[in-house]
């Protein structure tokens, strides 16, 4: 029998284990923590209320076999899932909400800064090719908008930097929308967006405008899904674990990999810290490649000495005694410097059974995490008018998760790409999660890549 080993029990690892089992492989999934699910798990407070570890609202991939594993048969999804036609977001900046877009509105700046910034944006007519975020922004939206709009977002997410030119131009800042702006009225924006160079710098004013553009490009907006269960994302993870174990995958929690036996450029055995040695014909690795490189027989691999700087996620969960003021948004971004919060999840708008619950997220370094105060964060939610002034906390839960988001320096991206290439070229029977290639960010893209890598190796399940 063919033996496959999956390292890492996040959603991608669960998907890989499930599909490898469909090929008739004997599959062992190894997860270092006591529970599978990674950052998509939920937590409970003392009263039993569930909260997600961040904002996670998946959507189908368009690959039938993948989607059936993730969400069940399409005809039955309405039983377990709330369908969301589009995710409603918004952003808080300069003391005001914009509930149509997460894109920062430059018109909220002082008149002097706005006019100076617009002049710089309009005279930058070439597409920037800079590899660092500072020069990229200065040569696209201009120096003023970089300093007053983008730099504060970088500081909120990754902390103040000694040199912003060390940060990569292509990183999660782009995903968060900080390198696109609202800068003119909707009609003028639409005209400027007809020019490719300006299209990349300006965001849509409304979701309706974005939908019109997608329709013109033949893009179908996906329907997002959120569990109807009070457990939130934990209900999803529990169902995936049940599917994986039901089909015969052996799941080992609470154990780490301590050795990789390699013969003829292939991993033949995987050793665990509990003393177990597992036979391996194929290895799916959904952990940083550096960890695998250090375990290979050639101990010189992966010893560059580079250590990435990693942020700490501080997640504040609250259940209160009043309805939320915002009854429509699913999640929100805070770009205002008045609060450390960067993202907020509004559970009642995702699932009516989770009334009165809200989560706020803050990124910090490890030492700063100690000084963050739950009452202060709750006061910030009140000052932003998301929670009524007379609301009281009935229960809460605080998470401190160290070593989460890496600071996206050019050096970090170089090492990620190099280690991915080094590992995949050193071992012939390995597939590494796309997240660790340095090329993918969104969960949907990683899930598709996971399925495709297995399909490319083993063909169709029916073959």
């Amino acid at each position: 029998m063919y033996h496959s080993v999956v390292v890492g029990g996040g959603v991608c690892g669960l998907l890989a284990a499930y599909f490898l089992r469909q090929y008739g492989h004997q599959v062992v999934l190894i997860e270092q923590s006591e529970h599978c699910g990674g950052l998509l798990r939920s937590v409970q407070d003392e009263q039993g209320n569930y909260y997600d570890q961040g904002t996670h609202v998946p959507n189908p991939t368009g690959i039938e076999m993948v989607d059936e594993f993730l969400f069940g048969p399409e005809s039955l999804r309405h039983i377990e899932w709330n369908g969301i036609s589009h995710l409603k977001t918004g952003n808080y900046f300069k003391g005001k909400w914009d509930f149509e877009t997460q894109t920062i509105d430059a018109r909220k700046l002082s008149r002097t800064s706005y006019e100076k910034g617009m002049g710089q944006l309009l005279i930058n007519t070439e597409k920037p090719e800079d590899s660092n975020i500072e020069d990229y922004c200065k040569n696209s939206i201009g120096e003023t908008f970089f300093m007053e709009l983008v730099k504060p977002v970088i500081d909120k997410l990754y902390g103040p930097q000694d040199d912003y030119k060390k940060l990569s131009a292509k990183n999660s800042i782009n995903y968060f929308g900080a390198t696109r702006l609202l800068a003119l009225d909707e009609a003028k924006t639409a005209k400027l967006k007809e020019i490719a160079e300006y299209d990349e710098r300006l965001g849509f004013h409304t979701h309706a405008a974005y939908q019109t553009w997608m329709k013109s490009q033949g893009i179908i907006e996906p329907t997002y899904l959120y569990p109807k269960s009070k457990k939130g994302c934990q209900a999803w993870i529990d169902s995936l674990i049940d599917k994986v174990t039901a089909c015969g995958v052996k799941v080992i929690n609470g154990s780490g990999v301590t050795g990789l036996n390699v013969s003829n450029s292939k991993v033949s055995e995987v050793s665990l810290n509990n003393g177990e040695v597992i036979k391996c014909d194929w290895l799916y690795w959904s952990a940083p490649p550096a960890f695998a490189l250090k375990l290979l027989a050639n101990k010189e691999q992966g010893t560059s000495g580079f250590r990435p700087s990693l942020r700490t996620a501080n997640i504040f969960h609250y259940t209160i005694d009043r309805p939320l003021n915002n009854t429509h948004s699913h999640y929100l971004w805070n770009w205002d410097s008045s609060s450390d919060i960067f993202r907020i999840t509004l559970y009642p708008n995702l699932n009516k059974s989770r009334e009165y619950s809200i989560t706020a997220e803050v990124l910090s370094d490890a030492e700063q995490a100690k000084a963050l105060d739950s009452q202060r964060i709750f006061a910030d939610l009140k000052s932003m008018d998301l929670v009524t002034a007379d609301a009281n906390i009935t229960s809460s839960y605080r998470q401190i998760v160290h070593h989460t988001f890496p600071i996206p320096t050019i050096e970090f991206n170089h090492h990620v790409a190099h280690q991915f290439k080094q590992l995949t070229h050193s071992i012939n029977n390995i597939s590494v999660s796309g997240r660790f290639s340095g090329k993918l960010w969104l969960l949907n893209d990683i899930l598709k890549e996971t399925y495709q890598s297995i399909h490319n190796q083993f063909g169709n399940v029916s073959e």
Side-chain angles (χ1 to χ4, degrees):
M1 178 178 284
Y2 208 90
H3 295 78
S4 289
V5 176
V6 175
V7 175
V11 173
C12 292
L14 292 167
L15 175 70
Y18 178 81
F19 274 107
L20 288 167
R21 184 68 186 130
Q22 304 314 299
Y23 287 95
H25 298 188
Q26 183 171 314
V27 183
V28 177
L29 185 151
I30 303 160
E31 168 54 45
Q32 188 170 9
S33 74
E34 294 299 326
H35 305 279
C36 290
L39 290 175
L40 281 162
R41 290 176 53 233
S42 302
V43 295
Q44 279 183 281
D45 64 22
E46 291 183 351
Q47 294 187 12
N49 297 305
Y50 282 86
Y51 310 94
D52 300 339
Q53 295 185 134
T55 301
H56 304 294
V57 188
N59 63 276
T61 65
I63 302 173
E64 185 177 355
M65 293 178 65
V66 174
D67 293 337
E68 187 158 324
F69 168 71
L70 294 174
F71 309 114
E74 186 173 5
S75 62
L76 301 178
R77 284 176 200 161
H78 65 282
I79 299 173
E80 302 290 340
W81 295 88
N82 286 321
I84 301 171
S85 59
H86 74 267
L87 284 176
K88 296 177 182 177
T89 184
N91 78 90
Y92 189 73
F93 181 61
K94 294 296 182 182
K96 297 179 180 179
W97 281 108
D98 180 342
F99 291 119
E100 282 286 346
T101 176
Q102 67 188 55
T103 304
I104 303 172
D105 194 335
R107 296 170 297 177
K108 293 180 181 178
L109 295 174
S110 70
R111 185 176 182 86
T112 299
S113 294
Y114 170 71
E115 290 178 349
K116 184 177 180 181
M118 279 304 302
Q120 294 166 354
L121 185 151
L122 292 172
I123 64 172
N124 286 336
T125 57
E126 300 296 325
K127 182 176 181 179
E129 301 293 340
D130 307 278
S131 60
N132 73 79
I133 192 67
E134 180 174 343
D135 288 340
Y136 175 86
C137 287
K138 287 181 177 179
N139 290 318
S140 59
I141 60 175
E143 181 175 7
T144 298
F145 287 160
F146 169 74
M147 294 299 295
E148 298 204 30
L149 301 178
V150 179
K151 182 175 173 290
V153 173
I154 293 173
D155 292 348
K156 183 182 284 279
L157 297 175
Y158 302 120
Q161 305 294 306
D162 294 331
D163 184 357
Y164 291 81
K165 292 185 180 182
K166 290 183 179 180
L167 297 180
S168 172
K170 300 297 182 182
N171 62 64
S172 53
I173 292 293
N174 306 102
Y175 162 68
F176 293 134
T179 55
R180 287 179 183 262
L181 308 172
L182 300 184
L184 297 161
D185 63 41
E186 192 168 356
K188 293 184 179 69
T189 295
K191 281 293 183 183
L192 272 181
K193 283 180 72 64
E194 293 175 2
I195 304 171
E197 289 74 17
Y198 294 125
D199 179 46
E200 295 182 357
R201 304 169 194 176
L202 300 172
F204 293 100
H205 285 248
T206 64
H207 187 78
Y210 178 56
Q211 286 178 312
T212 299
W213 174 81
M214 285 196 296
K215 186 175 181 180
S216 72
Q217 301 297 308
I219 302 172
I220 299 174
E221 185 174 15
T223 295
Y224 293 86
L225 300 170
Y226 190 80
K228 289 184 176 181
S229 168
K230 289 184 177 181
K231 289 185 175 182
C233 278
Q234 189 62 49
W236 185 32
I237 294 300
D238 289 347
S239 72
L240 297 184
I241 294 171
D242 288 344
K243 290 178 182 179
V244 164
T245 54
C247 74
V249 173
K250 179 181 179 181
V251 178
I252 301 176
N253 287 111
S255 293
V257 177
T258 57
L260 298 174
N261 236 358
V262 178
S263 177
N264 297 322
S265 297
K266 291 186 176 182
V267 175
S268 58
E269 292 178 328
V270 177
S271 300
L272 306 184
N273 57 5
N274 63 4
E276 191 170 354
V277 178
I278 303 168
K279 183 177 180 181
C280 180
D281 298 310
W282 181 258
L283 177 62
Y284 179 85
W285 189 270
S286 61
F291 297 160
L293 290 169
K294 290 178 181 179
L295 297 173
L296 296 178
N298 178 6
K299 297 299 183 181
E300 295 302 312
Q301 299 190 77
T303 57
S304 65
F306 172 76
R307 287 183 173 273
S309 297
L310 301 169
R311 300 289 275 165
T312 292
N314 306 271
I315 314 175
F316 297 86
H317 308 288
Y318 306 97
T319 293
I320 60 178
D321 60 357
R322 299 283 189 277
L324 304 184
N325 283 338
N326 183 310
T327 59
H328 49 86
S329 301
H330 298 113
Y331 68 98
L332 298 166
W333 304 93
N334 172 33
W335 304 135
D336 201 299
S337 59
S338 64
S339 170
D340 293 322
I341 299 170
F342 83 94
R343 184 167 60 184
I344 302 154
T345 306
L346 300 93
Y347 296 106
N349 303 333
L350 290 165
N351 180 344
K352 295 301 181 185
S353 70
R354 304 181 71 191
E355 196 173 13
Y356 303 168
S357 292
I358 188 168
T359 287
E361 300 171 71
V362 177
L363 292 177
S364 71
D365 63 31
E367 288 301 312
Q368 289 172 330
K370 300 175 183 178
L372 291 171
D373 178 69
S374 180
Q375 289 294 333
R376 170 60 192 275
I377 298 300
F378 188 63
D380 288 350
L381 295 175
K382 287 185 175 182
S383 70
M384 288 188 280
D385 199 34
L386 294 175
V387 175
T388 61
D390 60 347
N392 299 297
I393 300 170
T394 59
S395 63
S396 64
Y397 190 93
R398 179 183 176 180
Q399 289 182 271
I400 300 177
V401 187
H402 295 299
H403 313 304
T404 51
F405 292 94
I407 296 178
T409 62
I410 294 172
E411 185 180 16
F412 170 77
N413 286 353
H414 168 76
H415 278 275
V416 167
H418 174 72
Q419 290 171 341
F420 177 84
K421 182 177 180 180
Q422 187 178 11
L423 180 58
T424 53
H425 282 65
S426 299
I427 303 298
N428 295 332
N429 63 335
I430 191 171
S431 177
V432 181
S433 167
R435 176 165 295 176
F436 299 106
S437 68
K439 299 177 182 178
L440 302 176
W441 171 263
L442 299 176
L443 176 62
N444 237 29
D445 294 333
I446 301 164
L447 290 168
K448 291 177 184 178
E449 196 271 345
T450 295
Y451 167 80
Q452 199 60 55
S453 67
I454 295 172
H455 176 78
N456 290 344
Q457 179 66 27
F458 298 108
N460 293 325
V461 172
S462 59
E463 291 178 356

